[in-house]
Short mmCIF file of all heavy atoms in Angstrom, two decimals:
data_model
loop_
_atom_site.label_atom_id
_atom_site.label_comp_id
_atom_site.label_asym_id
_atom_site.label_seq_id
_atom_site.Cartn_x
_atom_site.Cartn_y
_atom_site.Cartn_z
N LYS A 151 -5.33 -13.56 -3.11
CA LYS A 151 -4.64 -13.68 -1.83
C LYS A 151 -5.08 -12.59 -0.84
O LYS A 151 -4.31 -12.15 0.01
CB LYS A 151 -3.12 -13.62 -2.02
CG LYS A 151 -2.54 -14.74 -2.89
CD LYS A 151 -3.01 -16.13 -2.49
CE LYS A 151 -2.67 -16.52 -1.08
NZ LYS A 151 -3.26 -17.85 -0.72
N GLY A 152 -6.34 -12.15 -0.98
CA GLY A 152 -6.91 -11.29 0.05
C GLY A 152 -7.00 -9.82 -0.29
O GLY A 152 -7.55 -9.05 0.50
N PHE A 153 -6.48 -9.40 -1.43
CA PHE A 153 -6.52 -7.98 -1.76
C PHE A 153 -7.75 -7.67 -2.61
O PHE A 153 -7.94 -8.25 -3.69
CB PHE A 153 -5.24 -7.56 -2.50
CG PHE A 153 -4.04 -7.50 -1.60
CD1 PHE A 153 -3.11 -8.53 -1.57
CD2 PHE A 153 -3.85 -6.41 -0.76
CE1 PHE A 153 -2.01 -8.47 -0.73
CE2 PHE A 153 -2.75 -6.35 0.09
CZ PHE A 153 -1.84 -7.39 0.11
N ASP A 154 -8.55 -6.73 -2.12
CA ASP A 154 -9.71 -6.27 -2.89
C ASP A 154 -9.27 -5.54 -4.15
O ASP A 154 -9.95 -5.61 -5.18
CB ASP A 154 -10.55 -5.30 -2.05
CG ASP A 154 -11.10 -5.91 -0.79
OD1 ASP A 154 -11.62 -7.04 -0.88
OD2 ASP A 154 -11.03 -5.27 0.27
N TYR A 155 -8.15 -4.84 -4.05
CA TYR A 155 -7.72 -4.00 -5.15
C TYR A 155 -6.21 -4.14 -5.33
O TYR A 155 -5.46 -4.18 -4.35
CB TYR A 155 -8.06 -2.53 -4.87
CG TYR A 155 -7.66 -1.60 -5.99
CD1 TYR A 155 -8.39 -1.57 -7.18
CD2 TYR A 155 -6.56 -0.76 -5.88
CE1 TYR A 155 -8.02 -0.73 -8.22
CE2 TYR A 155 -6.19 0.09 -6.91
CZ TYR A 155 -6.93 0.09 -8.09
OH TYR A 155 -6.56 0.91 -9.12
N PHE A 156 -5.80 -4.20 -6.59
CA PHE A 156 -4.37 -4.28 -6.91
C PHE A 156 -4.07 -3.41 -8.11
O PHE A 156 -4.80 -3.40 -9.10
CB PHE A 156 -3.97 -5.73 -7.22
CG PHE A 156 -2.63 -5.86 -7.89
CD1 PHE A 156 -1.47 -5.39 -7.28
CD2 PHE A 156 -2.51 -6.45 -9.14
CE1 PHE A 156 -0.23 -5.50 -7.89
CE2 PHE A 156 -1.28 -6.57 -9.77
CZ PHE A 156 -0.13 -6.09 -9.14
N TYR A 157 -2.97 -2.66 -8.01
CA TYR A 157 -2.47 -1.89 -9.15
C TYR A 157 -0.95 -1.93 -9.09
O TYR A 157 -0.35 -1.51 -8.10
CB TYR A 157 -2.95 -0.44 -9.08
CG TYR A 157 -2.44 0.43 -10.23
CD1 TYR A 157 -3.02 0.34 -11.49
CD2 TYR A 157 -1.40 1.31 -10.04
CE1 TYR A 157 -2.57 1.12 -12.54
CE2 TYR A 157 -0.94 2.10 -11.08
CZ TYR A 157 -1.52 2.00 -12.33
OH TYR A 157 -1.06 2.78 -13.36
N GLY A 158 -0.33 -2.46 -10.15
CA GLY A 158 1.12 -2.48 -10.13
C GLY A 158 1.71 -3.58 -10.99
O GLY A 158 1.17 -3.99 -12.01
N TYR A 159 2.89 -4.04 -10.56
CA TYR A 159 3.64 -5.09 -11.24
C TYR A 159 3.37 -6.44 -10.56
O TYR A 159 3.45 -6.53 -9.34
CB TYR A 159 5.14 -4.86 -11.14
CG TYR A 159 5.70 -3.57 -11.69
CD1 TYR A 159 5.97 -2.49 -10.85
CD2 TYR A 159 6.05 -3.46 -13.05
CE1 TYR A 159 6.55 -1.32 -11.34
CE2 TYR A 159 6.63 -2.31 -13.54
CZ TYR A 159 6.87 -1.24 -12.69
OH TYR A 159 7.46 -0.10 -13.16
N LEU A 160 3.14 -7.48 -11.34
CA LEU A 160 3.10 -8.82 -10.79
C LEU A 160 4.49 -9.43 -10.72
O LEU A 160 4.85 -10.07 -9.74
CB LEU A 160 2.19 -9.72 -11.64
CG LEU A 160 0.68 -9.52 -11.52
CD1 LEU A 160 -0.05 -10.41 -12.50
CD2 LEU A 160 0.20 -9.77 -10.10
N ASN A 161 5.28 -9.21 -11.76
CA ASN A 161 6.58 -9.87 -11.90
C ASN A 161 7.71 -8.95 -11.47
O ASN A 161 7.77 -7.79 -11.90
CB ASN A 161 6.76 -10.30 -13.36
CG ASN A 161 8.08 -10.96 -13.61
OD1 ASN A 161 9.08 -10.29 -13.84
ND2 ASN A 161 8.10 -12.29 -13.57
N GLN A 162 8.65 -9.44 -10.67
CA GLN A 162 9.73 -8.59 -10.18
C GLN A 162 10.69 -8.15 -11.27
O GLN A 162 11.30 -7.09 -11.19
CB GLN A 162 10.49 -9.26 -9.03
CG GLN A 162 11.11 -10.59 -9.35
CD GLN A 162 10.24 -11.74 -8.88
OE1 GLN A 162 9.03 -11.60 -8.74
NE2 GLN A 162 10.86 -12.88 -8.62
N GLY A 163 10.84 -8.96 -12.34
CA GLY A 163 11.66 -8.55 -13.46
C GLY A 163 11.02 -7.41 -14.24
O GLY A 163 11.70 -6.45 -14.63
N HIS A 164 9.72 -7.51 -14.46
CA HIS A 164 8.98 -6.42 -15.11
C HIS A 164 9.11 -5.13 -14.31
O HIS A 164 9.16 -4.03 -14.86
CB HIS A 164 7.51 -6.83 -15.24
CG HIS A 164 6.64 -5.83 -15.93
ND1 HIS A 164 5.32 -5.62 -15.54
CD2 HIS A 164 6.87 -4.98 -16.95
CE1 HIS A 164 4.80 -4.69 -16.32
NE2 HIS A 164 5.71 -4.29 -17.18
N ALA A 165 9.20 -5.26 -12.99
CA ALA A 165 9.28 -4.08 -12.11
C ALA A 165 10.60 -3.34 -12.24
O ALA A 165 10.72 -2.23 -11.71
CB ALA A 165 9.05 -4.51 -10.66
N HIS A 166 11.60 -3.90 -12.93
CA HIS A 166 12.84 -3.16 -13.15
C HIS A 166 12.60 -1.91 -14.00
O HIS A 166 13.29 -0.91 -13.83
CB HIS A 166 13.86 -4.04 -13.87
CG HIS A 166 14.37 -5.18 -13.06
ND1 HIS A 166 15.21 -6.14 -13.58
CD2 HIS A 166 14.17 -5.53 -11.77
CE1 HIS A 166 15.50 -7.04 -12.65
NE2 HIS A 166 14.87 -6.69 -11.53
N ASN A 167 11.64 -1.99 -14.91
CA ASN A 167 11.41 -0.90 -15.86
C ASN A 167 10.47 0.14 -15.24
O ASN A 167 9.30 -0.14 -14.99
CB ASN A 167 10.80 -1.45 -17.14
CG ASN A 167 10.69 -0.41 -18.24
OD1 ASN A 167 10.98 0.76 -18.04
ND2 ASN A 167 10.25 -0.84 -19.41
N TYR A 168 10.98 1.34 -15.00
CA TYR A 168 10.17 2.39 -14.38
C TYR A 168 9.25 3.09 -15.37
O TYR A 168 8.39 3.88 -14.96
CB TYR A 168 11.09 3.43 -13.72
CG TYR A 168 11.68 2.93 -12.41
CD1 TYR A 168 12.89 2.26 -12.38
CD2 TYR A 168 10.99 3.11 -11.22
CE1 TYR A 168 13.43 1.79 -11.19
CE2 TYR A 168 11.51 2.64 -10.02
CZ TYR A 168 12.72 1.98 -10.01
OH TYR A 168 13.23 1.51 -8.83
N TYR A 169 9.41 2.79 -16.65
CA TYR A 169 8.52 3.34 -17.68
C TYR A 169 7.88 2.18 -18.45
O TYR A 169 8.08 2.02 -19.65
CB TYR A 169 9.30 4.26 -18.62
CG TYR A 169 9.79 5.52 -17.94
CD1 TYR A 169 11.06 5.59 -17.38
CD2 TYR A 169 8.97 6.65 -17.86
CE1 TYR A 169 11.51 6.75 -16.76
CE2 TYR A 169 9.41 7.81 -17.24
CZ TYR A 169 10.68 7.86 -16.69
OH TYR A 169 11.12 9.00 -16.07
N PRO A 170 7.11 1.35 -17.77
CA PRO A 170 6.55 0.16 -18.41
C PRO A 170 5.46 0.52 -19.41
O PRO A 170 4.80 1.56 -19.29
CB PRO A 170 5.97 -0.63 -17.23
CG PRO A 170 5.55 0.44 -16.26
CD PRO A 170 6.63 1.49 -16.38
N THR A 171 5.26 -0.33 -20.39
CA THR A 171 4.18 -0.11 -21.35
C THR A 171 2.84 -0.55 -20.79
O THR A 171 1.80 -0.17 -21.32
CB THR A 171 4.46 -0.89 -22.65
OG1 THR A 171 4.60 -2.28 -22.35
CG2 THR A 171 5.74 -0.37 -23.31
N TYR A 172 2.86 -1.33 -19.70
CA TYR A 172 1.60 -1.71 -19.05
C TYR A 172 1.85 -1.99 -17.57
O TYR A 172 2.97 -2.26 -17.14
CB TYR A 172 1.00 -2.97 -19.71
CG TYR A 172 1.79 -4.24 -19.43
CD1 TYR A 172 1.51 -5.04 -18.32
CD2 TYR A 172 2.83 -4.63 -20.26
CE1 TYR A 172 2.24 -6.19 -18.06
CE2 TYR A 172 3.57 -5.77 -20.00
CZ TYR A 172 3.27 -6.55 -18.91
OH TYR A 172 3.99 -7.68 -18.63
N LEU A 173 0.78 -1.91 -16.80
CA LEU A 173 0.73 -2.38 -15.42
C LEU A 173 -0.57 -3.18 -15.28
O LEU A 173 -1.39 -3.24 -16.19
CB LEU A 173 0.75 -1.20 -14.44
CG LEU A 173 2.07 -0.43 -14.34
CD1 LEU A 173 1.89 0.86 -13.57
CD2 LEU A 173 3.16 -1.29 -13.69
N TRP A 174 -0.73 -3.80 -14.12
CA TRP A 174 -1.94 -4.57 -13.85
C TRP A 174 -2.87 -3.79 -12.93
O TRP A 174 -2.43 -3.24 -11.93
CB TRP A 174 -1.60 -5.92 -13.22
CG TRP A 174 -0.89 -6.85 -14.14
CD1 TRP A 174 0.46 -6.99 -14.29
CD2 TRP A 174 -1.49 -7.76 -15.06
NE1 TRP A 174 0.74 -7.92 -15.26
CE2 TRP A 174 -0.44 -8.42 -15.75
CE3 TRP A 174 -2.81 -8.09 -15.37
CZ2 TRP A 174 -0.68 -9.39 -16.71
CZ3 TRP A 174 -3.05 -9.06 -16.34
CH2 TRP A 174 -1.99 -9.69 -17.00
N ARG A 175 -4.15 -3.77 -13.27
CA ARG A 175 -5.17 -3.29 -12.35
C ARG A 175 -6.08 -4.48 -12.09
O ARG A 175 -6.80 -4.95 -12.96
CB ARG A 175 -5.96 -2.11 -12.93
CG ARG A 175 -7.09 -1.65 -12.00
CD ARG A 175 -7.74 -0.36 -12.43
NE ARG A 175 -6.94 0.79 -12.00
CZ ARG A 175 -6.32 1.63 -12.82
NH1 ARG A 175 -6.40 1.44 -14.14
NH2 ARG A 175 -5.61 2.63 -12.36
N ASN A 176 -6.00 -4.99 -10.87
CA ASN A 176 -6.63 -6.26 -10.54
C ASN A 176 -6.13 -7.31 -11.53
O ASN A 176 -4.93 -7.52 -11.64
CB ASN A 176 -8.15 -6.10 -10.50
CG ASN A 176 -8.57 -5.12 -9.41
OD1 ASN A 176 -8.02 -5.13 -8.30
ND2 ASN A 176 -9.52 -4.25 -9.72
N GLU A 177 -6.98 -7.95 -12.31
CA GLU A 177 -6.52 -8.97 -13.24
C GLU A 177 -6.51 -8.48 -14.69
O GLU A 177 -6.42 -9.29 -15.62
CB GLU A 177 -7.39 -10.23 -13.10
CG GLU A 177 -7.28 -10.86 -11.71
CD GLU A 177 -8.03 -12.18 -11.60
OE1 GLU A 177 -7.75 -13.09 -12.42
OE2 GLU A 177 -8.88 -12.30 -10.71
N GLU A 178 -6.55 -7.18 -14.86
CA GLU A 178 -6.57 -6.60 -16.21
C GLU A 178 -5.25 -5.89 -16.49
O GLU A 178 -4.75 -5.10 -15.69
CB GLU A 178 -7.72 -5.60 -16.32
CG GLU A 178 -7.81 -4.91 -17.68
CD GLU A 178 -8.89 -3.85 -17.71
OE1 GLU A 178 -9.57 -3.67 -16.69
OE2 GLU A 178 -9.03 -3.20 -18.76
N LYS A 179 -4.68 -6.15 -17.67
CA LYS A 179 -3.48 -5.47 -18.11
C LYS A 179 -3.87 -4.09 -18.64
O LYS A 179 -4.70 -3.98 -19.54
CB LYS A 179 -2.78 -6.29 -19.19
CG LYS A 179 -1.42 -5.77 -19.60
CD LYS A 179 -0.79 -6.61 -20.71
CE LYS A 179 -0.33 -7.96 -20.21
NZ LYS A 179 0.46 -8.69 -21.26
#
Side-chain angles (χ1 to χ4, degrees):
K151 299 311 301 175
F153 287 100
D154 299 314
Y155 182 74
F156 165 59
Y157 179 77
Y159 301 98
L160 286 176
N161 179 276
Q162 58 262 25
H164 182 216
H166 292 174
N167 187 355
Y168 284 91
Y169 292 93
T171 58
Y172 70 90
L173 290 168
W174 292 92
R175 177 171 279 114
N176 297 319
E177 297 186 55
E178 179 185 359
K179 188 182 288 188

